[in-house]
Amino acid sequence: MSLTYNLYVDQDGTENLVEKTTEEQPLTFLYGAGQMLPRFEENLSTLSTGDTFDFRLPAADAYGEYDDEAVANLPKEMFEGQDLPEIGSLLPLQDNQGNHFQGQVVSVVEDAVIVDLNHPMAGQELHFTGNVLNVRPATPEELSHGHAHGADGHHGH
């Protein structure tokens, strides 16, 4: 599936555009492969090429509610030999199972760097509007790779 979309979130009582794709750079994904938010795909499930959409995902169906406990204190020793990260910067992290994710630096104290592990859009309702550009069956190669190879199925690797 290939589509364009505008993503809006509420910031201080005003709905602001935070992400956008274009016909030249659409979002192309393999439907049902687990790449997208499940409720995002659900809202697109009955659409065809040329259809438009306008739907909202509550925080619980998007990136979850904001979790005040999802904060980590990283010892300053982890950054030995390099500059300490600045407040607001995103750090690439990995858990004990090898999963990659990012944390945002919220403060630097005497012996630690405090990192917020919530997704940047946690706690926010997401409002999507857009247009379906193409719906087609996945190619055998895309199915074996687990992702789409462009709008026509031939771009990529």
Side-chain angles (χ1 to χ4, degrees), residues 124-135:
Q124 297 185 49
E125 178 183 80
L126 307 182
H127 179 198
F128 290 94
T129 63
N131 183 42
V132 178
L133 301 177
N134 188 20
V135 177

Side-chain angles (χ1 to χ4, degrees), residues 72-76 79 107-114:
N73 295 338
L74 306 179
K76 279 189 176 174
F79 304 96
S107 67
V108 178
V109 295
E110 187 176 323
D111 59 348
V113 174
I114 314 301

Side-chain angles (χ1 to χ4, degrees), residues 39-94:
R39 293 283 191 245
F40 178 84
E41 285 194 3
E42 216 174 87
N43 277 278
L44 301 172
S45 65
T46 61
L47 301 182
S48 302
T49 300
D51 288 347
T52 60
F53 56 88
D54 184 337
F55 61 86
R56 296 173 186 274
L57 296 181
D61 291 336
Y63 294 103
E65 298 297 340
Y66 188 86
D67 180 0
D68 290 323
E69 302 295 315
V71 174
N73 295 338
L74 306 179
K76 279 189 176 174
E77 294 82 51
M78 284 181 63
F79 304 96
E80 216 167 309
Q82 56 188 317
D83 291 335
L84 286 174
E86 294 182 19
I87 293 173
S89 62
L90 294 175
L91 298 180
L93 300 170
Q94 183 175 331

